[in-house]
Amino acid sequence: MAERGVVVTGPMARVVVVEQMVLVAETFGLALGGAVDARAVVVSVGSSTRSIAAEVLKARPSVVFMDCDLGPYVDCAALVEALVAQKLQVIVLTNRGDDEVFLGECLRRGAVGALCKSGGLAPIVVALRHALARQPVMDIAHARRLMAVAQNAKDSHAVGRQRLSTLTAREREVLIELMSGATAPEIARSWCLSEVTVRTQIKSILSKLGVTSQLAAVAAARHDGWVPAGSPTPSQNTQIRTRRSAAARPAPRASRRPPAAPRR
């Protein structure tokens, strides 16, 4: 059997390709040589995880190939989980071969394989053939290692979020300001506080987060996806600081010079 061929016994297998690129999705079946019934589900601006899952299920596929980058409104890992819950075999395609945490999370959610697009068509054909035969799509030891990496990252996030939860309300406000790019002197001026007070709060934040610099504190908060409910965006923070600074700035003094005498 040729390496690039797909052997299908019985009725032609149906494959769904979930992609952002229309051209890639629609030519996937042609690339497989017409050996399968390939359908395209294209992710557009108005798409959501739920709408894409419903569209895939409507096609009743045997195997789903899914690009891991489906835009900001579709959670790829959640989509994998939703499709696997309906007994579908999902294979994730990615350009981010080095993103082991993401690939491992998709495998943890039930994907049967994760392939890098840069490997070309041959590995995809092999993966499809194995999936149709209900055989392992990828090396089991490699899959387990990726899942362990994802689990370790998840545990690390949990520890980070627990540390962030120990911050006081004022410390959370200071951290939000730091995340928006504000410096200690700027925070002090905008809040009409002494710089010593702000630096004391920053020191407490660093201690509670187990880091040694403001940059590390900001990086830790972003790494753990920390965005307090109702917190302003960075641009809103900038506007708020500007208004506070303007309010704190003393009004200009009125000129005491006597009015000039009228000319005769």
Side-chain angles (χ1 to χ4, degrees):
M1 181 171 56
E3 182 67 10
R4 294 173 68 87
V6 179
V7 175
V8 180
T9 59
M12 182 176 287
R14 180 170 296 169
V15 175
V16 164
V17 184
V18 183
E19 256 278 1
Q20 276 193 299
M21 302 292 291
V22 178
L23 182 62
V24 173
E26 292 184 346
T27 58
F28 195 85
L30 297 176
L32 294 175
V36 297
D37 176 12
R39 307 287 179 91
V41 172
V42 179
V43 177
S44 59
V45 175
S47 299
S48 66
T49 304
R50 180 177 296 181
S51 67
I52 293 299
E55 199 169 343
V56 171
L57 293 173
K58 193 184 301 181
R60 298 180 180 276
S62 302
V63 179
V64 179
F65 282 95
M66 192 181 81
D67 192 305
C68 73
D69 187 5
L70 298 177
Y73 304 110
V74 178
D75 184 332
C76 295
L79 180 57
V80 168
E81 188 172 21
L83 297 178
V84 169
Q86 299 300 318
K87 311 301 181 184
L88 298 183
Q89 296 191 88
V90 180
I91 299 174
V92 177
L93 301 177
T94 177
N95 284 322
R96 302 181 294 178
D98 59 338
D99 193 349
E100 295 188 336
V101 173
F102 177 81
L103 297 179
E105 182 60 25
C106 288
L107 293 171
R108 288 184 68 251
R109 301 287 185 100
V112 296
L115 303 177
C116 190
K117 292 180 182 178
S118 62
L121 182 62
I124 294 176
V125 172
V126 173
L128 176 57
R129 187 169 66 236
H130 288 181
L132 293 175
R134 296 286 175 175
Q135 296 175 351
V137 171
M138 64 186 300
D139 179 71
I140 296 177
H142 181 48
R144 286 176 176 169
R145 187 184 68 80
L146 291 177
M147 287 189 284
V149 169
Q151 183 61 54
N152 290 338
K154 188 174 183 180
D155 294 341
S156 174
H157 283 306
V159 171
R161 290 195 181 99
Q162 192 280 327
R163 289 177 175 174
L164 287 162
S165 69
T166 64
L167 300 180
T168 65
R170 175 59 80 176
E171 289 167 351
R172 288 196 295 269
E173 291 175 354
V174 171
L175 181 54
I176 292 170
E177 291 283 354
L178 294 176
M179 292 175 72
S180 71
T183 63
E186 289 173 341
I187 297 172
R189 285 196 300 269
S190 66
W191 289 357
C192 300
L193 297 173
S194 71
E195 188 174 333
V196 173
T197 299
V198 174
R199 291 196 180 280
T200 298
Q201 293 165 342
I202 292 175
K203 185 177 180 180
S204 177
I205 292 171
L206 302 185
S207 175
K208 290 180 178 180
L209 298 187
V211 295
T212 57
S213 70
Q214 296 178 35
L215 288 176
V218 170
R222 288 177 176 162
H223 177 264
D224 294 318
W226 184 74
V227 181
S231 63
T233 63
S235 61
Q236 289 173 332
N237 258 326
T238 301
Q239 296 172 3
I240 292 171
R241 285 201 309 275
T242 301
R243 289 196 297 268
R244 285 173 174 170
S245 296
R249 194 179 302 124
R253 295 181 179 180
S255 175
R256 295 183 178 180
R257 295 176 59 184
R263 293 182 179 179
R264 295 182 178 180

